[in-house]
Amino acid sequence: MNSSARMEQVDVLRIQLGVLRQEHRDLDDAIHALQDTGKADPLTIKRLKKQKLALKDKITVLEDRTTPDIIA
């Protein structure tokens, strides 16, 4: 794979990473809003937290793929 194709792939991964981070923040805001109302269904909050955790795992994978391997 040539370097320009590699750079394009990294750019796409960074865009995906930004989208996932925004979704993670949105879920966090939704969870806090539900908890602040005091009327939140515990099961709904649990599901949202599980989705948030899954997004965090995807973010970690993409971060690992965009970080260059440095041998120290």
Side-chain angles (χ1 to χ4, degrees), residues 10-70:
V10 170
D11 291 338
V12 169
L13 290 175
R14 286 188 180 137
I15 292 169
Q16 289 175 340
L17 190 55
V19 169
L20 290 178
R21 285 180 177 150
Q22 182 61 48
E23 289 179 20
H24 188 268
R25 280 190 297 272
D26 291 345
L27 272 175
D28 194 42
D29 291 343
I31 291 167
H32 287 292
L34 283 172
Q35 290 174 335
D36 290 344
T37 63
K39 300 176 185 177
D41 176 30
L43 185 59
T44 301
I45 291 176
K46 187 174 183 177
R47 286 179 180 159
L48 289 174
K49 286 183 176 182
K50 193 170 185 175
Q51 287 177 1
K52 186 179 162 191
L53 185 59
L55 280 175
K56 185 65 177 172
D57 290 342
K58 289 178 184 179
I59 290 169
T60 301
V61 169
L62 286 180
E63 285 174 340
D64 288 345
R65 290 179 63 191
T66 58
T67 305
D69 294 333
I70 300 173

